[in-house]
Amino acid sequence: MTRSDWGDWLPRAVEAADPDTVAVWYLGCNGFILKGSEGTTVAIDPYLGTGDPPRTVRMIPVPFDPEDVAEMDAVFATHEHTDHTHGPSQAPILENTGASFYAPDDSLSVAFDDEAWLDDYDLDDDQFAEVVEGDTLDVGEFTVHVEFSNDPDSTHPVSYVFEHDSGTFFHGGDTKPHDDFDELGERYDVDLGVLAFGAIGNIDDKQTGEPVRTRWYSTENEAVEAASDLAFDRFLPSHWDMWKGMTADPKVLHHHARSYEYPQSLEVAEIGDRVDL
């Protein structure tokens, strides 16, 4: 069970929203909810856990209880790490709404084997779908493309491109820059793109408990490099707010991006904020 600091106002705000284009809510960490103009609602990497203190300590509120989500068409996972594939955060949403869960194979292994979602929650096998790079699927008013992600810390990461009549949204998971991102930038006209950004900090080693210099996310230069190659019109950095020792100031990205053609603008959103496509 997770417990929100905020009650249920955010799920109720999503339900009540009637966007003209696509509304995008930032859930903190790397989580987002998208709601289209026709009402299709999807979530990417919603994580409502508190980490594993003292190694990983959540620095931001838990924005809602998963049991309070009453409307959701699909949940997407970018990779298998706990803050992206997490039964207590995501399985109750699937259980309450009948939403589909789209994820690469190693994320599904977490759901089926490591955490046994099917045993612990009232879920059906047909709610789960494996995705691989190159897949294209339709979820309501969204066309979703599955693309590669360059996250060396993950065993099988993917990124997602959500195309809508009003624009295109990119979620890169925890990707770092990649030489092939310029090709993706040419293929998709990304109006709003998300990339993980954070500091390099000391994080306790899982086995020894001793602090180890750790880099989980792109630095400011790497984040802007990737956003430039992907030709984002608007760049929304994520993950900078989440873990003690890994937090960063997204405003510094303005200084690094100002000499590049892309991204054309920087969108700084805090947990619970809504931006529109």
Side-chain angles (χ1 to χ4, degrees), residues 190-193 232-236 263-265 267 275-277:
V190 179
D191 296 283
L192 180 64
F232 291 167
D233 289 346
R234 300 155 63 195
F235 170 28
L236 199 165
Q264 294 178 350
S265 66
E267 299 271 345
V275 299
D276 282 30
L277 200 58

Side-chain angles (χ1 to χ4, degrees), residues 12 31 62 76 101 145 178 227 260:
R12 302 293 83 81
V62 175
F76 291 82
F101 185 74
H145 304 278
H178 192 278
Y260 290 86

Side-chain angles (χ1 to χ4, degrees), residues 21-22 34-38 40 42 44 76 135-147 160-171 184-192 277:
T21 56
V22 176
L34 277 58
K35 185 175 185 179
S37 54
E38 298 175 13
T40 302
V42 303
I44 308 104
F76 291 82
D135 282 353
T136 297
L137 48 132
D138 293 318
V139 178
E141 62 204 272
F142 295 103
T143 299
V144 186
H145 304 278
V146 184
E147 296 293 348
Y160 294 105
V161 181
F162 292 82
E163 291 186 320
H164 187 269
D165 287 345
S166 58
T168 301
F169 174 85
F170 176 93
H171 192 299
L184 279 187
E186 292 174 1
R187 194 187 323 162
Y188 300 108
D189 182 11
V190 179
D191 296 283
L192 180 64
L277 200 58

Side-chain angles (χ1 to χ4, degrees), residues 120-256:
D120 295 338
Y121 302 91
D122 184 14
L123 302 172
D124 295 325
D125 285 331
D126 59 8
Q127 287 181 258
F128 295 84
E130 180 181 339
V131 299
V132 296
E133 295 86 339
D135 282 353
T136 297
L137 48 132
D138 293 318
V139 178
E141 62 204 272
F142 295 103
T143 299
V144 186
H145 304 278
V146 184
E147 296 293 348
F148 70 91
S149 175
N150 178 32
D151 180 9
D153 295 320
S154 168
T155 55
H156 188 184
V158 298
S159 60
Y160 294 105
V161 181
F162 292 82
E163 291 186 320
H164 187 269
D165 287 345
S166 58
T168 301
F169 174 85
F170 176 93
H171 192 299
D174 288 353
T175 192
K176 311 286 194 307
H178 192 278
D179 289 342
D180 292 339
F181 274 172
D182 56 351
E183 189 276 329
L184 279 187
E186 292 174 1
R187 194 187 323 162
Y188 300 108
D189 182 11
V190 179
D191 296 283
L192 180 64
V194 167
L195 295 169
F197 157 67
I200 300 173
N202 283 327
I203 300 295
D204 290 350
D205 181 81
K206 280 185 177 181
Q207 278 71 45
T208 68
E210 295 298 317
V212 176
R213 188 173 186 271
T214 302
R215 180 174 71 103
W216 282 337
Y217 315 114
S218 289
T219 64
E220 51 265 51
N221 286 309
E222 291 171 326
V224 169
E225 176 188 352
S228 176
D229 289 345
L230 289 162
F232 291 167
D233 289 346
R234 300 155 63 195
F235 170 28
L236 199 165
S238 63
H239 236 321
W240 55 269
D241 53 2
M242 186 61 180
W243 300 124
K244 185 174 179 63
M246 290 286 173
T247 58
D249 182 356
K251 296 189 296 296
V252 304
L253 294 168
H254 285 290
H255 301 288
H256 295 269

